[in-house]
Amino acid sequence: IRIPRTRSSSPPEKLPTPLKDFDIRVTDAARSRGPSATRMQAVERLKAQIGPTVRVRWNPLNGTPRSLVNDSGYLSGPRSDAPTAIAFNFLEEHADLFGLTKEERGNFKVEHEYTTEHNGVTHTTLAQYHKQIPVFQGQLRFNIDQHGRIVSLGGEYYPGIDTLVVPSLSAAEAFQIVVKDVASAMLFEPKIRSGPSGSTKRTVFDKGSLNRTDGLHQASLVIFPMQGEFRLAWQVVVHKHSIERYLVL
C-alpha cells in the first residue's frame, strides 16, 4: 500500500509529480466475501432483541461488521458501566456476530476516548493488536451516550490472525526497498537515528538527502490484513520532498 500526501505550501522549485495511490486491498475487495450464516443469524437475534431497524454494513475482505446502527433507536439498553466496559461487554454478548474469541477481544486496547460536550456522547476507539503488533487500520469505534446506550459502532477488524511476528527483513533493509520504489533516481543510504525499539521494532532514520522538512523517516512492524491471509509487514514513512510523504507497506 502506498499513500502520498500533499501539502498546500509551494515548493521552491518544480518537483516531479507525486506517485499515485496504490492499495492491493482494492483488488482483493473485488473478490468480496459476504457474512457467514452464523453472523446473519446473530443479526436476526439482535433484531429480535432491539427491533427490526438494525442495519449492518459488511467488510468485503472478511465478512465482518463494518458498521452497525439501529435506525430507530439504540444498539443496547442503558448501563452504568464505563464506556470501555460497555464496548467490551457488547463484543462478548454478541460474540457470534463479531467472531472474536476471548483472547482476541483481550488484544484490543483503548486508543482514543473523548466525550462530546453538547450531547454527552463518548467516542471510544479500540485498536487491534496481535502479539503486541498493531493490526494495520484495525479499529472498532463505539459511540455511547450519557446513559450508557450504544448509539452506533463501526470500524474494520480481523479475527483469526495467526501470523508469526519475526521479520525476515530489518527496518533498514525495508527502508532501502521503499526508497528504490518512491525515489529511484536518488542515492540514499539510511542512517539510523534511534531504534529498533519495542515490540514493533520502531526505527527512526536521519533525513538525509530525501527530506527538506522537519519530519524523519521511520519504519515499524504491523500486521497487514489481505483477502484470506495476514502478513507481517514493515510500515515505512518516507519524506521525499517538502510536498511528498509516502506511507508504504
Side-chain angles (χ1 to χ4, degrees):
I1 180 171
R2 182 172 59 213
I3 308 172
R5 285 190 177 180
T6 59
R7 299 194 311 183
S8 59
S9 57
S10 299
E13 72 276 350
K14 185 177 180 180
L15 297 173
T17 302
L19 300 173
K20 294 182 179 179
D21 291 353
F22 173 77
D23 190 340
I24 194 172
R25 296 172 302 172
V26 174
T27 303
D28 283 345
R31 307 188 302 271
S32 62
R33 176 180 170 185
S36 65
T38 298
R39 286 199 172 94
M40 294 303 297
Q41 293 166 3
V43 171
E44 293 306 312
R45 288 194 295 271
L46 183 59
K47 289 181 177 180
Q49 293 175 12
I50 63 176
T53 55
V54 171
R55 183 161 45 88
V56 188
R57 290 176 55 239
W58 304 98
N59 184 343
L61 282 179
N62 62 357
T64 56
R66 176 178 274 176
S67 71
L68 186 62
V69 297
N70 182 358
D71 288 334
S72 62
Y74 301 92
L75 294 171
S76 64
R79 301 186 69 155
S80 59
D81 298 328
T84 300
I86 292 171
F88 278 110
N89 285 337
F90 191 81
L91 294 177
E92 181 179 0
E93 290 169 0
H94 301 281
D96 286 348
L97 174 58
F98 293 98
L100 293 165
T101 65
K102 181 178 180 180
E103 181 181 1
E104 288 172 331
R105 293 194 298 270
N107 287 333
F108 282 82
K109 301 177 183 180
V110 179
E111 186 173 67
H112 302 294
E113 187 169 80
Y114 67 96
T115 300
T116 307
E117 291 186 7
H118 75 276
N119 59 10
V121 172
T122 298
H123 309 276
T124 301
T125 299
L126 306 179
Q128 186 180 12
Y129 288 77
H130 170 68
K131 296 182 179 180
Q132 305 302 314
I133 305 295
V135 178
F136 181 70
Q137 296 181 342
Q139 292 184 339
L140 279 170
R141 297 176 293 275
F142 288 78
N143 303 302
I144 302 169
D145 78 356
Q146 57 191 328
H147 303 294
R149 298 173 296 194
I150 298 176
V151 179
S152 62
L153 66 90
E156 297 182 356
Y157 68 98
Y158 301 90
I161 300 175
D162 59 359
T163 304
L164 297 176
V165 293
V166 179
S168 58
L169 297 174
S170 69
E173 289 170 332
F175 182 73
Q176 286 179 312
I177 291 172
V178 171
V179 169
K180 289 179 182 178
D181 183 29
V182 303
S184 58
M186 293 185 177
L187 297 177
F188 179 68
E189 289 295 328
K191 182 179 179 181
I192 294 176
R193 172 172 289 203
S194 65
S197 60
S199 56
T200 65
K201 302 186 184 300
R202 182 175 182 269
T203 305
V204 178
F205 301 92
D206 281 342
K207 294 190 294 184
S209 60
L210 287 180
N211 191 2
R212 300 171 188 173
T213 72
D214 292 332
L216 296 171
H217 315 295
Q218 56 184 288
S220 57
L221 290 173
V222 296
I223 304 295
F224 184 44
M226 299 177 63
Q227 181 85 36
E229 66 174 312
F230 304 95
R231 296 183 183 180
L232 181 69
W234 285 104
Q235 177 176 283
V236 180
V237 177
V238 175
H239 299 263
K240 181 178 178 183
H241 289 298
S242 58
I243 63 168
E244 289 183 53
R245 186 181 78 167
Y246 292 91
L247 186 153
V248 183
L249 271 66

